[in-house]
Amino acid sequence: MMDRFRTIIEPFRIHAVEPIRMSTREERQTAISAAGWNLFGLHADDVLIDLLTDSGTGAMSRDQWAAIQHGDESYAGSPSWFVFLEAVTALWPFRHVIPTHQGRAAEKILFSVIGGPGKVIPNNTHFDTTRANIEATGAEAVDLVIAEGRDPSALHPFKGNLDVAALEALLAARADDIPVVLVTVTNNSGGGQPVSLENLRAVRAVCERYGKPLFLDACRFAENAWFIKTREPGQAGRDIPDIVRDMAALADGMTMSAKKDGLANIGGWLALDDDAIAESCRNLLILTEGFPTYGGLAGRDLEAIAQGLREVVQDDYLHYRIRSTAYLGEALDAAGVPLVKPFGGHAVYLDARALLPHIPPLAYPGQALAVALYIEGGIRGCEIGTVMFGRHPDGSETPASMDLVRLAIPRRTYTQSHIDYVIEVVSRVAARATDLRGFRIAEPQPSALRHFTARFEPLA
Ligand SMILES: Cc1ncc(COP(=O)(O)O)c(C=O)c1O
C-alpha cells in the first residue's frame, strides 16, 4: 500500500496548534521532586512530550469539532443519542447500549451488578481500573493470558490471546462462581498486544460449553482489528468494520472507553444482549451517571464519539497509527533498549526490569526509568509494573510479572520529529542506566490504585 516510501506521512494536516512550553533539566528536577517523584503529580505544562496515556489525549478531527456543533442537549431522547446509538450499533450490534462518562463507569456498573464476594472474573489481563472495580465488589480478578504474553521478548503475533486451557481448567473448578469471561482487546496491561479472531472463537466455544457470557473490554478494538487484518491468516483483504462485527458476534457484551478508539476526549459505554442485566445496569446508571439516553455525557460528546467511530476504522488512519508506533519501537530496538516485542498498537513498552537489573522489583525499576526520562527530556511515560500491580487487597506486596514503562502515543497528536526526539532521549537514558536508583513509597499509601497518588522517596 503506502509502504513504497520509508517516511510515514501523517494522514492529516494540522489545523490548530497547541504550544509546548520548553523547560530545562533543572526545572524538571525541581518539578518532579515537588510532585513526590510521581509523574501523575506534575503540572502538564512542565511536560514536553506527554506519553502518559493515549486515553482522551488525542486530537479530534475537523469533522468531530463540526459534529460537536450538532450536539443537542435535550435531557431525554436527544437526537445526538440516536446518532451515537447508530454509530455504536453499526459496529457492535448489541441489544442494549448504555452510555457512560468513561470506561471505568461502565466497569463499575457492570461489576456492581454481576460481581460480589466469592465471584471470580477471568480476563487475558485485567486493566488496573477493571481489576480495581472487580475487587471493590469483593470478587477476584484472574489473569489468564498465554505464556508468551508474560514474556517481554517472546515473539508471537497475538500475545494478547487468552490461555484457553487455563480458562477451561478454571471453569471446570469454579464454574458456579464465574459470572462472565472477559477479553481485553488489545491487551493494554500486557503490552498493547492483540487477540486473534481464532482465539476469540475458542474462548467463545468454552464459554458456551459452560453457559457463560463473554464480554470484551474493547477500548482499542480498531487497533486490534488492524492487527487481525495484517497478521491473521485469511483476513488480509477484509474491511475493518467487518472484522469488528466478527468480534462483536463472538461476544455477549462489551465495556468501552471512547477515550481510546472512540477518538474522543471523554466518553464510554456498556453494551450487552441480556435484558435482565441491562435493566439492573440502567437502574444503576440513573443513580450514578444520568438518564439512559445521555449517561454521563453531554449531547455534544455523543456526537464527537459517533464521528470518531466512523474515522477510527479507516485504513489510512490505522495504517499510520500502527506504523508510527512501530517506528518508535524499531528505532529503540536498534539502539539496544530492551522492549516488549512485537510492538503494541497504542504504545511502546520499555522493559525496565531488563534495563535496570541492579534495581530489584520492590524498588520499582519502572518508576526509576520513568522519572529519568522526565528529568532528561521532559517525556512523561507511565510505570506499568510493581507500583501499579504489586500491592494486594490485604496490604502485602509482591513483584508484578513485568516492570515496564509504557510510552503511550496519543492519537493524531505528535509528529515524527517529536517521536525522533523521544528516541534520542530514551537512548541517552539507557546509555547511563547503571546510574539510576530505585524508590520507596512513602507511608501511608493510598488504599487503591496507588500509582495515581502515591508519593515516592528516592533510595540512596
Ligand atoms: C484496557 C482498558 N480498560 C479500561 C480502561 C478504563 O477506561 P477509562 O480510562 O475511560 O475509565 C482503560 C483505560 O486506560 C483501558 O486501557
Side-chain angles (χ1 to χ4, degrees), residues 123-377:
N123 198 335
N124 44 1
T125 312
H126 289 277
F127 184 65
D128 60 352
T129 60
T130 322
R131 172 174 286 279
N133 272 305
I134 289 169
E135 289 174 350
T137 73
E140 194 188 333
V142 178
D143 292 337
L144 296 179
V145 73
I146 56 170
E148 291 90 335
R150 282 192 218 98
D151 175 354
S153 56
L155 288 176
H156 186 291
F158 292 100
K159 277 175 90 167
N161 281 355
L162 192 137
D163 182 335
V164 181
L167 175 66
E168 180 113 47
L170 185 67
L171 278 160
R174 300 196 58 181
D176 289 348
D177 300 331
I178 299 177
V180 68
V181 174
L182 293 179
V183 178
T184 304
V185 295
T186 56
N187 190 26
N188 183 5
S189 306
Q193 300 293 330
V195 177
S196 68
L197 273 179
E198 185 189 26
N199 185 249
L200 286 177
R201 275 192 212 104
V203 170
R204 169 86 202 178
V206 175
C207 288
E208 274 179 4
R209 256 202 317 284
Y210 286 86
K212 299 295 172 189
L214 170 62
F215 273 50
L216 300 179
D217 175 342
C219 297
R220 298 178 181 81
F221 71 86
E223 293 171 9
N224 200 84
W226 183 260
F227 283 120
I228 288 174
K229 180 180 166 106
T230 52
R231 291 184 186 170
E232 190 158 349
Q235 302 296 324
R238 301 189 61 204
D239 283 344
I240 293 295
D242 284 340
I243 296 175
V244 176
R245 282 186 285 266
D246 276 3
M247 290 158 63
L250 292 166
D252 301 286
M254 68 188 295
T255 55
M256 175 70 192
S257 168
K259 300 171 75 169
K260 285 82 172 179
D261 278 353
L263 296 181
N265 300 124
I266 196 72
W269 68 85
L270 167 65
L272 68 167
D273 282 332
D274 186 289
D275 296 341
I277 296 176
E279 179 168 345
S280 302
C281 289
R282 275 209 188 89
N283 288 337
L284 258 184
L285 181 86
I286 292 173
L287 207 60
T288 58
E289 293 276 294
F291 189 73
T293 62
Y294 70 85
L297 296 167
R300 65 179 79 100
D301 301 323
L302 295 168
E303 296 271 359
I305 296 166
Q307 178 58 26
L309 289 175
R310 291 190 276 273
E311 294 174 13
V312 79
V313 292
Q314 291 172 6
D315 279 13
D316 283 352
Y317 163 72
L318 283 169
H319 177 266
Y320 142 78
R321 171 75 176 154
I322 302 300
R323 261 309 298 147
S324 55
T325 302
Y327 172 82
L328 171 60
E330 284 162 11
L332 293 177
D333 193 30
V337 179
L339 304 165
V340 175
K341 287 197 270 185
F343 312 120
H346 67 294
V348 169
Y349 293 69
L350 313 180
D351 185 348
R353 196 176 287 176
L355 182 68
L356 307 172
H358 60 289
I359 303 181
L362 294 181
Y364 314 128
Q367 189 65 19
L369 179 57
V371 166
L373 295 179
Y374 173 69
I375 293 173
E376 185 67 35

Side-chain angles (χ1 to χ4, degrees), residues 29-42:
Q29 180 89 40
T30 306
I32 191 67
S33 160
W37 306 92
N38 187 333
L39 293 144
F40 285 96
L42 291 169

